[in-house]
Amino acid sequence: MKQYLQDYKWTTDSPLPVTWGKKAEVVLHSPSLTTHSLSITQTEKIQPLVGIITSNHKTRGFAGNAAAFQRIQLALQQTGGLSYVFTPSEWRHDEVTGYVYDFRQNKWVEGHFPIPDLVYNRIPFRAQEQFDDVQYVKEYCQLQNIPYFNDSFLRKEQVFQWLSQNPALLPHLPETRILSKLEDFQYMVKKYEQIYLKPSKGKKGKGIYVINKNERQLWNVKTVQDSHLNLSMDTLLDDWVLPTITKNYIIQQAISPLKWNGARFDYRVLVHRKNQEEFIVSGIGVRQSQLQDVTTHVPTGGKIISFHDLPYQKDKEVITWLANEVGRSLAQHLHIGEFSIDIGKCKKGNLYVFEVNSKPMVFDEDDIRRNGLTNLISYFGFLNESSK
């Protein structure tokens, strides 16, 4: 079956009635060839019809990872569904103006679509999720029983509050507090040899400080760019700690990392929801520090290595368990269908959850990307069936 674009409206070459969208609208029959067409696995209903919500872009129709959106659309077409990308300003009560990719002509094309069966949130910036037009789409979906996921970006202190309510996870969580007053810092540096200061809404290792007391009873501060050694307590407080109290930071226990080939490493775990109760691991990546040991992020000099190259294959069982427990804990507070976890391994061999990201970046590893796409499409299908 093919769909054709005529004056921004879609028609089909199927002689039988074909429906699509939340309201099961009939696609008009028209066998005539037009400039743009899409091939979809033969079906009486194009399902699920997925709306990928993102934000506007200055020079093209929408922001976000266009290549990832193409992969999602192609995978859905091959299973009888379709996705389109839209911005919240183009959502109306009865139709949405959005974009699909024409693989024959290798270009994005604009068209009118019905209200989707579900909405996949890929808005790339935190602040934009609070815009009125985004909130309107979200509220509309709630009223019309249209699944909308993932709800929003996560704040670090919020994540740890939620995860701490699961007793089984407590041994895998470094102590984490909101840095709202000087007493929070004093409590943590007295209790632990080394601590992290992290922006609650930060990403990619930006704005992170590692603080510890050295043998001279002075203080060292490390960032991803440089180190500041032998600081007095007054300098530490005035230049580093007090400014962060007003900038929405958390303070976190530092774990003594296990090193492999002389450098620390973290697991990057991509997780997808399978059904109402289960979360599954789509892949485990490994990032190893190189130029500095504050973070292992690739943008700050980290190196990608294969999980299968590590002599710690038994960790997979614990990581799989952690992924499911983290997912079930988060699901008590928001609709989450995918996320990534940063997991560290300490010198004693224990695993710790450092961060959870509800808008995971695209993984560099091909097998993780493929598995993630397969599991994401499966979850689309589950959501579509369960919301009927």
Side-chain angles (χ1 to χ4, degrees):
M1 179 183 70
K2 285 192 175 182
Q3 278 190 282
Y4 302 104
L5 182 62
Q6 298 177 342
D7 298 326
Y8 295 99
K9 291 289 186 179
W10 293 93
T11 64
T12 179
D13 64 355
S14 173
L16 300 175
V18 175
T19 62
W20 63 340
K22 184 66 176 177
K23 299 178 182 179
E25 298 176 28
V26 175
V27 185
L28 296 178
H29 175 256
S30 173
S32 60
L33 290 173
T34 55
T35 304
H36 301 291
S37 64
L38 301 172
S39 295
I40 300 176
T41 298
Q42 185 67 44
T43 177
E44 294 179 359
K45 177 175 171 57
I46 299 171
Q47 65 175 344
L49 182 62
V50 179
I52 302 175
I53 186 172
T54 184
S55 56
N56 292 304
H57 192 275
K58 292 181 179 179
T59 58
R60 53 188 173 95
F62 58 87
N65 191 321
F69 299 160
Q70 290 175 35
R71 290 192 291 268
I72 292 171
Q73 179 187 319
L74 181 59
L76 282 167
Q77 286 179 226
Q78 293 170 343
T79 56
L82 182 65
S83 62
Y84 61 86
V85 182
F86 73 96
T87 61
S89 61
E90 299 300 331
W91 179 285
R92 303 291 182 267
H93 73 280
D94 57 350
E95 74 171 19
V96 183
T97 302
Y99 299 85
V100 292
Y101 194 76
D102 184 336
F103 290 95
R104 188 164 56 90
Q105 298 198 31
N106 296 318
K107 61 187 293 187
W108 288 95
V109 295
E110 185 178 3
H112 299 315
F113 299 86
I115 299 298
D117 295 308
L118 58 99
V119 174
Y120 176 40
N121 178 7
R122 291 303 301 185
I123 293 174
F125 301 107
R126 259 176 218 278
Q128 293 173 343
E129 289 187 327
Q130 305 307 314
F131 289 176
D132 289 344
D133 51 3
V134 177
Q135 292 300 309
Y136 172 79
V137 174
K138 190 173 181 179
E139 291 169 6
Y140 182 99
C141 290
Q142 291 172 343
L143 290 173
Q144 298 298 322
N145 193 33
I146 298 172
Y148 182 103
F149 82 101
N150 294 318
D151 284 5
S152 64
F153 283 97
L154 301 175
R155 300 194 312 274
K156 291 181 176 63
E157 80 279 0
Q158 182 183 61
V159 168
F160 280 90
Q161 287 173 1
W162 291 344
L163 299 186
S164 297
Q165 294 169 14
N166 183 340
L169 285 175
L170 290 177
H172 302 278
L173 302 177
E175 184 172 356
T176 304
R177 290 171 166 244
I178 300 173
L179 184 57
S180 60
K181 53 187 183 299
L182 183 58
E183 287 76 13
D184 297 318
F185 173 78
Q186 294 170 330
Y187 168 82
M188 291 291 281
V189 294
K190 184 177 181 180
K191 188 173 182 180
Y192 299 109
E193 294 181 358
Q194 185 166 273
I195 54 95
Y196 275 90
L197 299 186
K198 298 180 179 181
S200 179
K201 300 179 181 179
K203 61 181 180 179
K204 299 181 181 179
K206 295 179 180 179
I208 293 179
Y209 313 139
V210 182
I211 299 175
N212 71 286
K213 182 181 285 189
N214 60 31
E215 295 177 351
R216 298 175 58 185
Q217 300 302 300
L218 296 173
W219 298 90
N220 298 335
V221 177
K222 291 183 180 179
T223 72
V224 294
Q225 290 89 16
D226 49 28
S227 297
H228 303 263
L229 307 178
N230 299 316
L231 305 178
S232 68
M233 175 59 84
D234 288 343
T235 300
L236 175 68
L237 295 180
D238 290 342
D239 294 352
W240 299 95
V241 178
L242 292 176
T244 62
I245 290 177
T246 60
K247 293 181 179 179
N248 199 12
Y249 265 65
I250 64 167
I251 184 167
Q252 188 175 77
Q253 169 193 0
I255 305 301
S256 297
L258 179 68
K259 295 185 177 182
W260 183 69
N261 287 345
R264 62 167 291 187
F265 64 92
D266 292 339
Y267 296 126
R268 296 286 195 279
V269 186
L270 181 62
V271 185
H272 284 89
R273 194 168 191 165
K274 183 178 181 181
N275 51 43
Q276 201 65 27
E277 296 293 332
E278 294 179 87
F279 290 81
I280 55 177
V281 171
S282 294
I284 304 172
V286 182
R287 303 294 181 263
Q288 188 174 39
S289 62
Q290 296 291 296
L291 303 178
Q292 45 77 32
D293 60 1
V294 174
T295 75
T296 61
H297 292 83
V298 173
T300 57
K303 174 184 177 182
I304 300 172
I305 60 178
S306 171
F307 174 72
H308 300 291
D309 290 340
L310 293 177
Y312 312 115
Q313 296 303 298
K314 291 183 178 180
D315 284 347
K316 184 175 182 179
E317 182 178 347
V318 181
I319 290 171
T320 301
W321 174 84
L322 277 172
N324 192 51
E325 288 297 317
V326 168
R328 292 175 63 184
S329 296
L330 295 177
Q332 294 180 27
H333 303 276
L334 75 166
H335 185 178
I336 190 160
E338 68 175 350
F339 57 92
S340 62
I341 321 176
D342 294 357
I343 297 177
K345 188 178 180 72
C346 76
K347 291 179 179 178
K348 295 181 180 179
N350 299 325
L351 298 183
Y352 288 87
V353 175
F354 290 154
E355 291 191 23
V356 180
N357 182 2
S358 64
K359 301 279 188 74
M361 303 291 287
V362 175
F363 276 62
D364 295 284
E365 295 88 342
D366 291 339
D367 59 329
I368 298 179
R369 277 205 309 271
R370 285 194 300 269
N371 291 340
L373 179 59
T374 298
N375 291 333
L376 180 63
I377 299 302
S378 295
Y379 186 59
F380 286 161
F382 168 78
L383 276 182
N384 184 49
E385 290 300 318
S386 60
S387 64
K388 290 180 179 178

